[in-house]
Amino acid sequence: MAEVNQELLRMSETLRVLEDEGQITRLISSYGPAVDSGQSEVAAAIWTEDGVYDTNAKVMRGRAEIAGMVEGSLHQQLIAGGVAHVLGVPHIRINGHRAVATCYSRVFRRGEGGFEVWRVAANRWELVRTEEGWRAAYRTTRLLDGSADARELLGRFGED
Amino acid sequence: MAEVNQELLRMSETLRVLEDEGQITRLISSYGPAVDSGQSEVAAAIWTEDGVYDTNAKVMRGRAEIAGMVEGSLHQQLIAGGVAHVLGVPHIRINGHRAVATCYSRVFRRGEGGFEVWRVAANRWELVRTEEGWRAAYRTTRLLDGSADARELLGRFGED
Amino acid sequence: MAEVNQELLRMSETLRVLEDEGQITRLISSYGPAVDSGQSEVAAAIWTEDGVYDTNAKVMRGRAEIAGMVEGSLHQQLIAGGVAHVLGVPHIRINGHRAVATCYSRVFRRGEGGFEVWRVAANRWELVRTEEGWRAAYRTTRLLDGSADARELLGRFGED
């Protein structure tokens, strides 16, 4: 009986990690569908209430600012013209109630002559486990334009 | 003993969902390799016998029509020139013996001056659990060209 | 008790496969961040000591040659200009202590007029379970330029 309990405990812990990874993948993969369909509140709820979205263009603090970006004229013009915010396979590291996910993002846009690759960026998601499930506390996105900060961000994929 | 059984049951259910998600990801990630290598029967078997593949260009009903598309001259020309049908990370929702997976697809083509992004689309896979495993009952693909139906499709990612 | 043990065994085996798939996905998704941040040793350690990276351009044998490619002038120029080596969702088949993962890779580069799709390729990872975890024994990458070997590689996604 003691052996069974020990094995159950080990399995339960392994299962918890796999569940966490699945939930984090689901969270990150919801970003594109949320913003490309203009669901600003759904997109903002990927973050914690005071979560931060730190991009080359600006730093958005809290859900209201993130929702405001989705509702803004730049983003609405992108949607009207045809846009896909594609987040790639996340490299996930879980450490208790915190996690880091590193992935690439690409924004494809419908242009005059067809589809084009508008932006390619490195992403670091710092996530926390909340009562509502995993949420982003801080997401940093940096264009892969040769600048040092994007390379440094990618280089930290193995760190918590 | 009752407690152990209860924990076993909970773990077994969680494990079932994770297995389902893994099988659905495997199914969807087999589409590109199947069609880009011209294996029409393998590609068609991703769907149920009477499964539907609903695209901007046409609606294919049943495995024979889907296999016919892969064997057709347009697709064969794509393969001969160099093509990649890349399906992105699926956002999966499982509801018993049914599931919905939402993801982006991109078709890259080798052109005169190098590789180009030929198509970028939103995908909704409506899947069913069969005796052979998960299969697509209905897949809808819509180009992200600014039209309303692609946005609506993406906006339903959180619905069963 | 016998029934509980049997169910535990079944669950334990299922869990092992899911853990393996998660570890293989993590390994493959670390390739981009490792090479795009110039961490040559980290990238090389994705392979076994005598692992092979077989590309259109050359065949690299062993970790030293793979690290040398990352440290080489061509790759360093790519990093300096802005580059993303994006590996897609892997289709994974596990067979005991061996596994095969098939996926697409794309290299996006920052050019004069913005980002461009530089390379699109088919990848077959032949992996082995080692004491350090899963490692690549042989990775084959072939450009999807219409040549037969890329199509053949993709066509083998369902084989061990």
Side-chain angles (χ1 to χ4, degrees), chain B residues 1 5 8 11-12 15 19 26 29-30 32-33 36-37 39 79-82 84-85 89 106 108 115 117, chain C residues 1 4 7-8 10-11 14-15 18 21 89-92 104 106 117-120 144-146 151 154-155 157:
Chain B
M1 202 57 205
N5 279 335
L8 261 182
M11 285 171 60
S12 180
L15 204 48
E19 270 188 284
R26 188 173 300 111
S29 68
S30 75
D36 292 332
S37 64
Q39 295 181 87
I79 290 179
H85 287 77
V89 181
R106 286 134 291 159
F108 296 96
F115 290 100
V117 187
Chain C
M1 202 58 205
V4 170
E7 176 63 6
L8 261 182
R10 196 199 62 79
M11 285 171 59
T14 304
L15 204 49
L18 293 173
E21 290 176 356
V89 181
H91 178 281
I92 302 172
Y104 293 95
R106 287 134 291 159
V117 186
W118 188 42
R119 287 179 175 172
V120 180
L144 281 156
D145 56 5
R151 291 200 301 273
L154 287 176
F157 79 91

Side-chain angles (χ1 to χ4, degrees), chain C residues 33-107:
Chain C
V35 299
D36 293 332
S37 63
Q39 295 181 89
S40 56
E41 300 297 329
V42 174
I46 290 172
W47 277 263
T48 55
E49 271 296 344
D50 58 351
V52 177
Y53 184 14
D54 181 340
T55 74
N56 285 79
K58 57 178 168 179
V59 181
M60 292 156 269
R61 298 181 184 280
R63 287 182 179 168
E65 286 189 27
I66 296 166
M69 175 272 289
V70 178
E71 292 159 10
S73 60
L74 172 60
H75 189 83
Q76 292 298 316
Q77 282 169 30
L78 285 175
I79 290 179
V83 72
H85 287 77
V86 183
L87 277 283
V89 181
H91 178 281
I92 302 172
R93 282 176 67 91
I94 294 170
N95 190 356
H97 299 298
R98 301 200 153 264
V100 170
T102 305
C103 65
Y104 293 95
S105 60
R106 287 134 291 159
V107 184

